Amino acid sequence: MTASLEQLRRCHFAVDLGAARTRVYVKGAGLVVDQPSVAAVNTRTGALIAVGEFAEKMTGRTPDYIRVVRPVTGGTVVDIEMAQRMLRQLIGDRTRRALRRRPRLRAAACTPHDADPLAQRAAIETLVGLGARRVELVDTLIAAAVGCGLPVERPEATMIMVCGAAATQVAVLSLGSIVRAERIPVGGEAVDAAIVQHLRHQHELMLPSQSVRPLQLALEGNGLTPQGPEVTEIHGRDVATGLARSVKVDTAAVRRAIQTPLTAVLDGIGKVLRDCPPDLVADLADRGIMMVGGSALLPGLDQMLRQATGMPVHIAEQPELCAVEGLGAMLEGRIAPMVLDPLSA
């Protein structure tokens, strides 16, 4: 379900509830929230202790009576009450009061492609709990394409790949609509899990949850290609003894471990291209694929896709912000629909 541009221009704020981060765009003020979708709760009293970055730092470091929760999974709200409480804290009292002064407060939200009615309803109820009288839903693929500047309203093919934390969405767009799309349940979290499992099986090392990113950063430069660094040192806990231990990890083996989840992404891209009309595929041979989303910054992923598909692959300037910036552009009226001139008699 995607709202019309006229309906979106009437909205006062937009929310991109992602599995990894939550972003809020307020009309006239711009991006006001960009925080992890995490909340820490006191299980004894039910009180909210922390949200956002501070709550994320508490992951794996809390006593028994503090629980760190993620109310959004795979772009779908799984705990409406907790998502509302988290959003209230992230937005802040001043901005929330300013929004409530608006008559008939309207909101917009991103939803994953082919989200089921229950997922759409959960997103609507979350924003209604913040005071919104009406909520417009926008497909994440459309919002991200607008946010990275693709000419989605023209009669020519554009291909976008939204690399999220829990899933990857691939679509071919033309005339402002989705021609073919595929949602692959593989994202940045699957890549992290592959690295953790590799270290556990090959080195008998348990990796802390927040140490996966430094290992990915060690692959930077040439990243997933064989020209990357040969060895990197990583710290963790020994599976047998439970003591802290450091090992030198062969990055070539890590690259091989990452290939398994990424193969599913390549299969999804191939399926979308096979189902597309030939004329649109011919357009894509020149324009290629635009990558957006936080996981698009995985080192070397663009090179791997370029080699596998033979098509140009581009990464947006700020890939993690494309969806919310696209919503903001629609709210501010910066996107004009294509108008066809009437044929002269």
Side-chain angles (χ1 to χ4, degrees), residues 84-301:
Q84 290 174 350
R85 295 174 67 184
M86 180 186 74
L87 274 173
R88 289 191 194 102
Q89 291 296 322
L90 290 176
I91 292 175
D93 293 336
R94 181 181 299 178
T95 304
R96 201 164 69 249
R97 283 197 298 267
L99 287 174
R100 284 187 174 275
R101 294 193 195 104
R102 307 284 180 91
R104 292 192 60 82
L105 183 64
R106 290 172 176 249
C110 281
T111 56
H113 178 67
D114 283 346
D116 58 76
L118 286 178
Q120 295 181 6
R121 189 66 191 170
I124 291 172
E125 289 187 9
T126 300
L127 298 188
V128 167
L130 295 179
R133 300 288 296 275
R134 183 180 175 89
V135 179
E136 308 291 352
L137 299 182
V138 181
D139 196 304
T140 302
L141 292 165
I142 299 288
V146 170
C148 64
L150 291 178
V152 293
E153 74 282 356
R154 296 180 186 172
E156 54 191 38
T158 53
M159 190 170 190
I160 188 164
M161 178 175 169
V162 180
C163 307
T168 300
Q169 303 175 69
V170 183
V172 174
L173 311 175
S174 181
L175 288 173
S177 300
I178 297 172
V179 180
R180 291 290 184 274
E182 189 74 17
R183 188 166 183 259
I184 307 120
V186 173
E189 293 175 354
V191 174
D192 294 348
I195 295 174
V196 170
Q197 288 298 318
H198 168 75
L199 292 175
R200 185 182 179 92
H201 293 153
Q202 299 298 322
H203 299 277
E204 296 184 349
L205 193 75
M206 291 185 67
L207 199 64
S209 59
Q210 298 188 17
S211 295
V212 180
R213 295 301 174 187
L215 181 57
Q216 290 185 2
L217 292 176
L219 298 174
E220 274 189 343
N222 293 311
L224 300 177
T225 62
Q227 290 76 30
E230 293 184 1
V231 176
T232 184
E233 189 173 4
I234 197 74
H235 308 282
R237 189 181 77 182
D238 190 280
V239 173
T241 64
L243 300 176
R245 184 162 64 94
S246 300
V247 296
K248 290 187 176 181
V249 179
D250 181 12
T251 51
V254 174
R255 286 192 289 270
R256 287 194 296 271
I258 290 175
Q259 293 293 335
T260 302
L262 295 182
T263 301
V265 176
L266 294 176
D267 292 342
I269 294 175
K271 187 176 186 303
V272 170
L273 292 175
R274 285 194 301 270
D275 294 342
C276 266
D279 292 342
L280 294 182
V281 177
D283 290 346
L284 296 174
D286 297 328
R287 297 187 180 89
I289 306 171
M290 177 65 75
M291 295 174 60
V292 302
S295 298
L297 298 174
L298 182 66
L301 178 58

